[in-house]
PDB file of all heavy atoms in Angstrom:
ATOM      1  N   ARG E 147     -13.467  17.731  -4.639  1.00 93.00           N
ATOM      2  CA  ARG E 147     -14.790  18.146  -4.173  1.00 93.00           C
ATOM      3  C   ARG E 147     -15.512  17.009  -3.421  1.00 93.00           C
ATOM      4  O   ARG E 147     -16.274  17.256  -2.505  1.00 93.00           O
ATOM      5  CB  ARG E 147     -15.639  18.606  -5.364  1.00 93.00           C
ATOM      6  CG  ARG E 147     -16.442  19.859  -5.066  1.00 93.00           C
ATOM      7  CD  ARG E 147     -17.138  20.373  -6.302  1.00 93.00           C
ATOM      8  NE  ARG E 147     -16.340  21.311  -7.064  1.00 93.00           N
ATOM      9  CZ  ARG E 147     -16.320  21.375  -8.409  1.00 93.00           C
ATOM     10  NH1 ARG E 147     -17.031  20.531  -9.128  1.00 93.00           N
ATOM     11  NH2 ARG E 147     -15.585  22.265  -9.016  1.00 93.00           N
ATOM     12  N   GLN E 148     -15.214  15.764  -3.847  1.00 91.00           N
ATOM     13  CA  GLN E 148     -15.876  14.615  -3.205  1.00 91.00           C
ATOM     14  C   GLN E 148     -15.411  14.388  -1.764  1.00 91.00           C
ATOM     15  O   GLN E 148     -16.121  13.775  -0.976  1.00 91.00           O
ATOM     16  CB  GLN E 148     -15.614  13.340  -4.023  1.00 91.00           C
ATOM     17  CG  GLN E 148     -16.118  13.439  -5.444  1.00 91.00           C
ATOM     18  CD  GLN E 148     -15.711  12.238  -6.269  1.00 91.00           C
ATOM     19  OE1 GLN E 148     -15.831  11.107  -5.832  1.00 91.00           O
ATOM     20  NE2 GLN E 148     -15.224  12.474  -7.464  1.00 91.00           N
ATOM     21  N   ILE E 149     -14.202  14.869  -1.445  1.00 93.00           N
ATOM     22  CA  ILE E 149     -13.726  14.662  -0.077  1.00 93.00           C
ATOM     23  C   ILE E 149     -13.657  15.976   0.699  1.00 93.00           C
ATOM     24  O   ILE E 149     -13.380  15.987   1.894  1.00 93.00           O
ATOM     25  CB  ILE E 149     -12.344  13.946  -0.035  1.00 93.00           C
ATOM     26  CG1 ILE E 149     -11.337  14.649  -0.954  1.00 93.00           C
ATOM     27  CG2 ILE E 149     -12.471  12.491  -0.392  1.00 93.00           C
ATOM     28  CD1 ILE E 149      -9.920  14.096  -0.800  1.00 93.00           C
ATOM     29  N   GLU E 150     -13.934  17.072   0.022  1.00 94.00           N
ATOM     30  CA  GLU E 150     -13.845  18.383   0.659  1.00 94.00           C
ATOM     31  C   GLU E 150     -14.749  18.517   1.901  1.00 94.00           C
ATOM     32  O   GLU E 150     -14.343  19.159   2.884  1.00 94.00           O
ATOM     33  CB  GLU E 150     -14.132  19.506  -0.342  1.00 94.00           C
ATOM     34  CG  GLU E 150     -13.312  20.739  -0.063  1.00 94.00           C
ATOM     35  CD  GLU E 150     -13.331  21.731  -1.219  1.00 94.00           C
ATOM     36  OE1 GLU E 150     -14.111  21.539  -2.172  1.00 94.00           O
ATOM     37  OE2 GLU E 150     -12.559  22.704  -1.152  1.00 94.00           O
ATOM     38  N   PRO E 151     -15.954  17.912   1.892  1.00 94.00           N
ATOM     39  CA  PRO E 151     -16.771  17.998   3.106  1.00 94.00           C
ATOM     40  C   PRO E 151     -16.055  17.433   4.341  1.00 94.00           C
ATOM     41  O   PRO E 151     -16.434  17.743   5.467  1.00 94.00           O
ATOM     42  CB  PRO E 151     -18.004  17.155   2.774  1.00 94.00           C
ATOM     43  CG  PRO E 151     -18.074  17.117   1.292  1.00 94.00           C
ATOM     44  CD  PRO E 151     -16.667  17.230   0.797  1.00 94.00           C
ATOM     45  N   PHE E 152     -15.041  16.605   4.119  1.00 95.00           N
ATOM     46  CA  PHE E 152     -14.328  15.983   5.253  1.00 95.00           C
ATOM     47  C   PHE E 152     -12.931  16.570   5.417  1.00 95.00           C
ATOM     48  O   PHE E 152     -12.027  15.915   5.933  1.00 95.00           O
ATOM     49  CB  PHE E 152     -14.215  14.471   5.035  1.00 95.00           C
ATOM     50  CG  PHE E 152     -15.511  13.835   4.625  1.00 95.00           C
ATOM     51  CD1 PHE E 152     -15.769  13.538   3.297  1.00 95.00           C
ATOM     52  CD2 PHE E 152     -16.492  13.566   5.575  1.00 95.00           C
ATOM     53  CE1 PHE E 152     -16.976  12.967   2.914  1.00 95.00           C
ATOM     54  CE2 PHE E 152     -17.702  13.000   5.197  1.00 95.00           C
ATOM     55  CZ  PHE E 152     -17.942  12.703   3.861  1.00 95.00           C
ATOM     56  N   LYS E 153     -12.736  17.813   4.966  1.00 95.00           N
ATOM     57  CA  LYS E 153     -11.365  18.328   4.883  1.00 95.00           C
ATOM     58  C   LYS E 153     -10.698  18.503   6.246  1.00 95.00           C
ATOM     59  O   LYS E 153      -9.479  18.579   6.332  1.00 95.00           O
ATOM     60  CB  LYS E 153     -11.316  19.628   4.080  1.00 95.00           C
ATOM     61  CG  LYS E 153     -12.043  20.796   4.686  1.00 95.00           C
ATOM     62  CD  LYS E 153     -11.945  21.976   3.727  1.00 95.00           C
ATOM     63  CE  LYS E 153     -12.654  23.187   4.330  1.00 95.00           C
ATOM     64  NZ  LYS E 153     -12.679  24.297   3.370  1.00 95.00           N
ATOM     65  N   LYS E 154     -11.490  18.530   7.319  1.00 96.00           N
ATOM     66  CA  LYS E 154     -10.904  18.669   8.651  1.00 96.00           C
ATOM     67  C   LYS E 154     -10.579  17.300   9.289  1.00 96.00           C
ATOM     68  O   LYS E 154     -10.014  17.230  10.369  1.00 96.00           O
ATOM     69  CB  LYS E 154     -11.853  19.428   9.585  1.00 96.00           C
ATOM     70  CG  LYS E 154     -12.187  20.832   9.119  1.00 96.00           C
ATOM     71  CD  LYS E 154     -11.004  21.781   9.318  1.00 96.00           C
ATOM     72  CE  LYS E 154     -11.341  23.171   8.767  1.00 96.00           C
ATOM     73  NZ  LYS E 154     -10.139  23.907   8.373  1.00 96.00           N
ATOM     74  N   ARG E 155     -10.997  16.231   8.610  1.00 96.00           N
ATOM     75  CA  ARG E 155     -10.780  14.890   9.172  1.00 96.00           C
ATOM     76  C   ARG E 155      -9.320  14.464   8.972  1.00 96.00           C
ATOM     77  O   ARG E 155      -8.707  14.791   7.960  1.00 96.00           O
ATOM     78  CB  ARG E 155     -11.708  13.902   8.471  1.00 96.00           C
ATOM     79  CG  ARG E 155     -11.823  12.575   9.186  1.00 96.00           C
ATOM     80  CD  ARG E 155     -12.759  11.626   8.486  1.00 96.00           C
ATOM     81  NE  ARG E 155     -14.164  11.952   8.683  1.00 96.00           N
ATOM     82  CZ  ARG E 155     -15.182  11.183   8.264  1.00 96.00           C
ATOM     83  NH1 ARG E 155     -14.925  10.059   7.628  1.00 96.00           N
ATOM     84  NH2 ARG E 155     -16.421  11.546   8.460  1.00 96.00           N
ATOM     85  N   LEU E 156      -8.784  13.697   9.932  1.00 96.00           N
ATOM     86  CA  LEU E 156      -7.416  13.183   9.775  1.00 96.00           C
ATOM     87  C   LEU E 156      -7.385  12.170   8.634  1.00 96.00           C
ATOM     88  O   LEU E 156      -8.300  11.359   8.489  1.00 96.00           O
ATOM     89  CB  LEU E 156      -6.939  12.510  11.062  1.00 96.00           C
ATOM     90  CG  LEU E 156      -6.750  13.404  12.296  1.00 96.00           C
ATOM     91  CD1 LEU E 156      -6.120  12.614  13.427  1.00 96.00           C
ATOM     92  CD2 LEU E 156      -5.894  14.628  11.975  1.00 96.00           C
ATOM     93  N   ALA E 157      -6.313  12.212   7.862  1.00 95.00           N
ATOM     94  CA  ALA E 157      -6.193  11.302   6.721  1.00 95.00           C
ATOM     95  C   ALA E 157      -6.276   9.843   7.171  1.00 95.00           C
ATOM     96  O   ALA E 157      -6.831   8.999   6.474  1.00 95.00           O
ATOM     97  CB  ALA E 157      -4.885  11.556   5.990  1.00 95.00           C
ATOM     98  N   GLY E 158      -5.741   9.558   8.363  1.00 93.00           N
ATOM     99  CA  GLY E 158      -5.760   8.191   8.868  1.00 93.00           C
ATOM    100  C   GLY E 158      -7.160   7.671   9.148  1.00 93.00           C
ATOM    101  O   GLY E 158      -7.382   6.464   9.225  1.00 93.00           O
ATOM    102  N   ASP E 159      -8.140   8.571   9.288  1.00 92.00           N
ATOM    103  CA  ASP E 159      -9.509   8.152   9.609  1.00 92.00           C
ATOM    104  C   ASP E 159     -10.390   8.025   8.377  1.00 92.00           C
ATOM    105  O   ASP E 159     -11.589   7.775   8.492  1.00 92.00           O
ATOM    106  CB  ASP E 159     -10.159   9.171  10.569  1.00 92.00           C
ATOM    107  CG  ASP E 159      -9.467   9.194  11.923  1.00 92.00           C
ATOM    108  OD1 ASP E 159      -8.816   8.180  12.259  1.00 92.00           O
ATOM    109  OD2 ASP E 159      -9.561  10.217  12.631  1.00 92.00           O
ATOM    110  N   LEU E 160      -9.817   8.212   7.183  1.00 90.00           N
ATOM    111  CA  LEU E 160     -10.631   8.139   5.967  1.00 90.00           C
ATOM    112  C   LEU E 160     -10.861   6.688   5.556  1.00 90.00           C
ATOM    113  O   LEU E 160     -10.077   5.806   5.879  1.00 90.00           O
ATOM    114  CB  LEU E 160      -9.919   8.861   4.814  1.00 90.00           C
ATOM    115  CG  LEU E 160      -9.692  10.368   4.955  1.00 90.00           C
ATOM    116  CD1 LEU E 160      -8.896  10.869   3.754  1.00 90.00           C
ATOM    117  CD2 LEU E 160     -11.022  11.111   5.054  1.00 90.00           C
ATOM    118  N   SER E 161     -11.945   6.450   4.797  1.00 83.00           N
ATOM    119  CA  SER E 161     -12.180   5.121   4.223  1.00 83.00           C
ATOM    120  C   SER E 161     -11.209   4.917   3.053  1.00 83.00           C
ATOM    121  O   SER E 161     -10.590   5.867   2.569  1.00 83.00           O
ATOM    122  CB  SER E 161     -13.613   5.031   3.715  1.00 83.00           C
ATOM    123  OG  SER E 161     -13.749   5.826   2.551  1.00 83.00           O
ATOM    124  N   GLY E 162     -11.120   3.668   2.584  1.00 81.00           N
ATOM    125  CA  GLY E 162     -10.191   3.332   1.494  1.00 81.00           C
ATOM    126  C   GLY E 162     -10.404   4.178   0.249  1.00 81.00           C
ATOM    127  O   GLY E 162      -9.455   4.718  -0.328  1.00 81.00           O
ATOM    128  N   GLY E 163     -11.666   4.323  -0.141  1.00 83.00           N
ATOM    129  CA  GLY E 163     -11.975   5.087  -1.350  1.00 83.00           C
ATOM    130  C   GLY E 163     -11.609   6.553  -1.203  1.00 83.00           C
ATOM    131  O   GLY E 163     -11.132   7.189  -2.147  1.00 83.00           O
ATOM    132  N   MET E 164     -11.814   7.101  -0.001  1.00 89.00           N
ATOM    133  CA  MET E 164     -11.507   8.510   0.236  1.00 89.00           C
ATOM    134  C   MET E 164      -9.995   8.747   0.313  1.00 89.00           C
ATOM    135  O   MET E 164      -9.489   9.754  -0.187  1.00 89.00           O
ATOM    136  CB  MET E 164     -12.213   8.998   1.505  1.00 89.00           C
ATOM    137  CG  MET E 164     -13.641   9.441   1.205  1.00 89.00           C
ATOM    138  SD  MET E 164     -14.786   9.442   2.602  1.00 89.00           S
ATOM    139  CE  MET E 164     -14.020  10.450   3.794  1.00 89.00           C
ATOM    140  N   LYS E 165      -9.278   7.804   0.932  1.00 91.00           N
ATOM    141  CA  LYS E 165      -7.813   7.891   0.954  1.00 91.00           C
ATOM    142  C   LYS E 165      -7.262   7.963  -0.464  1.00 91.00           C
ATOM    143  O   LYS E 165      -6.357   8.735  -0.764  1.00 91.00           O
ATOM    144  CB  LYS E 165      -7.222   6.655   1.638  1.00 91.00           C
ATOM    145  CG  LYS E 165      -7.200   6.752   3.150  1.00 91.00           C
ATOM    146  CD  LYS E 165      -6.499   5.556   3.762  1.00 91.00           C
ATOM    147  CE  LYS E 165      -6.508   5.692   5.276  1.00 91.00           C
ATOM    148  NZ  LYS E 165      -6.307   4.425   5.966  1.00 91.00           N
ATOM    149  N   GLN E 166      -7.831   7.117  -1.305  1.00 91.00           N
ATOM    150  CA  GLN E 166      -7.379   7.032  -2.682  1.00 91.00           C
ATOM    151  C   GLN E 166      -7.585   8.374  -3.400  1.00 91.00           C
ATOM    152  O   GLN E 166      -6.728   8.838  -4.142  1.00 91.00           O
ATOM    153  CB  GLN E 166      -8.182   5.905  -3.332  1.00 91.00           C
ATOM    154  CG  GLN E 166      -7.926   5.626  -4.761  1.00 91.00           C
ATOM    155  CD  GLN E 166      -9.156   4.989  -5.378  1.00 91.00           C
ATOM    156  OE1 GLN E 166     -10.281   5.395  -5.116  1.00 91.00           O
ATOM    157  NE2 GLN E 166      -8.934   3.969  -6.183  1.00 91.00           N
ATOM    158  N   LYS E 167      -8.738   9.011  -3.133  1.00 93.00           N
ATOM    159  CA  LYS E 167      -9.019  10.297  -3.779  1.00 93.00           C
ATOM    160  C   LYS E 167      -8.092  11.385  -3.250  1.00 93.00           C
ATOM    161  O   LYS E 167      -7.633  12.242  -4.013  1.00 93.00           O
ATOM    162  CB  LYS E 167     -10.483  10.686  -3.562  1.00 93.00           C
ATOM    163  CG  LYS E 167     -11.398   9.921  -4.489  1.00 93.00           C
ATOM    164  CD  LYS E 167     -12.859  10.091  -4.166  1.00 93.00           C
ATOM    165  CE  LYS E 167     -13.657   9.074  -4.975  1.00 93.00           C
ATOM    166  NZ  LYS E 167     -14.797   8.549  -4.241  1.00 93.00           N
ATOM    167  N   LEU E 168      -7.807  11.335  -1.961  1.00 95.00           N
ATOM    168  CA  LEU E 168      -6.878  12.324  -1.392  1.00 95.00           C
ATOM    169  C   LEU E 168      -5.470  12.129  -1.957  1.00 95.00           C
ATOM    170  O   LEU E 168      -4.799  13.083  -2.324  1.00 95.00           O
ATOM    171  CB  LEU E 168      -6.862  12.219   0.140  1.00 95.00           C
ATOM    172  CG  LEU E 168      -5.870  13.157   0.842  1.00 95.00           C
ATOM    173  CD1 LEU E 168      -6.183  14.621   0.534  1.00 95.00           C
ATOM    174  CD2 LEU E 168      -5.868  12.923   2.348  1.00 95.00           C
ATOM    175  N   ALA E 169      -5.046  10.872  -2.046  1.00 95.00           N
ATOM    176  CA  ALA E 169      -3.708  10.594  -2.569  1.00 95.00           C
ATOM    177  C   ALA E 169      -3.583  11.084  -4.012  1.00 95.00           C
ATOM    178  O   ALA E 169      -2.565  11.654  -4.405  1.00 95.00           O
ATOM    179  CB  ALA E 169      -3.410   9.093  -2.490  1.00 95.00           C
ATOM    180  N   LEU E 170      -4.635  10.886  -4.789  1.00 95.00           N
ATOM    181  CA  LEU E 170      -4.605  11.356  -6.175  1.00 95.00           C
ATOM    182  C   LEU E 170      -4.577  12.887  -6.217  1.00 95.00           C
ATOM    183  O   LEU E 170      -3.821  13.478  -6.992  1.00 95.00           O
ATOM    184  CB  LEU E 170      -5.817  10.812  -6.942  1.00 95.00           C
ATOM    185  CG  LEU E 170      -5.889  11.166  -8.432  1.00 95.00           C
ATOM    186  CD1 LEU E 170      -4.666  10.661  -9.189  1.00 95.00           C
ATOM    187  CD2 LEU E 170      -7.159  10.610  -9.068  1.00 95.00           C
ATOM    188  N   SER E 171      -5.359  13.522  -5.363  1.00 96.00           N
ATOM    189  CA  SER E 171      -5.351  14.993  -5.302  1.00 96.00           C
ATOM    190  C   SER E 171      -3.945  15.503  -4.972  1.00 96.00           C
ATOM    191  O   SER E 171      -3.458  16.456  -5.590  1.00 96.00           O
ATOM    192  CB  SER E 171      -6.327  15.507  -4.241  1.00 96.00           C
ATOM    193  OG  SER E 171      -7.637  15.076  -4.522  1.00 96.00           O
ATOM    194  N   CYS E 172      -3.291  14.877  -3.996  1.00 97.00           N
ATOM    195  CA  CYS E 172      -1.945  15.302  -3.593  1.00 97.00           C
ATOM    196  C   CYS E 172      -0.924  15.076  -4.708  1.00 97.00           C
ATOM    197  O   CYS E 172       0.023  15.835  -4.851  1.00 97.00           O
ATOM    198  CB  CYS E 172      -1.497  14.561  -2.331  1.00 97.00           C
ATOM    199  SG  CYS E 172      -2.397  15.077  -0.858  1.00 97.00           S
ATOM    200  N   ALA E 173      -1.129  14.005  -5.503  1.00 96.00           N
ATOM    201  CA  ALA E 173      -0.199  13.716  -6.599  1.00 96.00           C
ATOM    202  C   ALA E 173      -0.389  14.701  -7.752  1.00 96.00           C
ATOM    203  O   ALA E 173       0.465  14.828  -8.620  1.00 96.00           O
ATOM    204  CB  ALA E 173      -0.388  12.280  -7.080  1.00 96.00           C
ATOM    205  N   LEU E 174      -1.549  15.386  -7.759  1.00 96.00           N
ATOM    206  CA  LEU E 174      -1.881  16.265  -8.885  1.00 96.00           C
ATOM    207  C   LEU E 174      -1.698  17.746  -8.586  1.00 96.00           C
ATOM    208  O   LEU E 174      -1.732  18.571  -9.498  1.00 96.00           O
ATOM    209  CB  LEU E 174      -3.353  16.069  -9.256  1.00 96.00           C
ATOM    210  CG  LEU E 174      -3.723  14.874 -10.109  1.00 96.00           C
ATOM    211  CD1 LEU E 174      -5.241  14.732 -10.140  1.00 96.00           C
ATOM    212  CD2 LEU E 174      -3.178  15.014 -11.513  1.00 96.00           C
ATOM    213  N   ILE E 175      -1.526  18.095  -7.312  1.00 96.00           N
ATOM    214  CA  ILE E 175      -1.673  19.489  -6.901  1.00 96.00           C
ATOM    215  C   ILE E 175      -0.625  20.418  -7.516  1.00 96.00           C
ATOM    216  O   ILE E 175      -0.860  21.620  -7.648  1.00 96.00           O
ATOM    217  CB  ILE E 175      -1.707  19.613  -5.338  1.00 96.00           C
ATOM    218  CG1 ILE E 175      -2.213  20.995  -4.908  1.00 96.00           C
ATOM    219  CG2 ILE E 175      -0.365  19.279  -4.724  1.00 96.00           C
ATOM    220  CD1 ILE E 175      -3.611  21.318  -5.377  1.00 96.00           C
ATOM    221  N   HIS E 176       0.509  19.878  -7.966  1.00 96.00           N
ATOM    222  CA  HIS E 176       1.517  20.728  -8.605  1.00 96.00           C
ATOM    223  C   HIS E 176       1.423  20.647 -10.124  1.00 96.00           C
ATOM    224  O   HIS E 176       2.357  21.016 -10.833  1.00 96.00           O
ATOM    225  CB  HIS E 176       2.918  20.338  -8.128  1.00 96.00           C
ATOM    226  CG  HIS E 176       3.264  18.908  -8.408  1.00 96.00           C
ATOM    227  ND1 HIS E 176       2.579  17.854  -7.876  1.00 96.00           N
ATOM    228  CD2 HIS E 176       4.226  18.370  -9.205  1.00 96.00           C
ATOM    229  CE1 HIS E 176       3.111  16.720  -8.317  1.00 96.00           C
ATOM    230  NE2 HIS E 176       4.094  16.999  -9.121  1.00 96.00           N
TER     231      HIS E 176
END
Side-chain angles (χ1 to χ4, degrees):
Chain E
R147 222 173 270 143
Q148 301 174 46
I149 51 172
E150 214 166 9
F152 312 100
K153 65 183 181 185
K154 300 286 177 206
R155 194 179 284 187
L156 294 187
D159 294 337
L160 296 176
S161 71
M164 275 158 56
K165 277 185 180 159
Q166 179 206 42
K167 282 170 191 144
L168 177 60
L170 183 59
S171 301
C172 290
L174 280 170
I175 194 60
H176 58 298

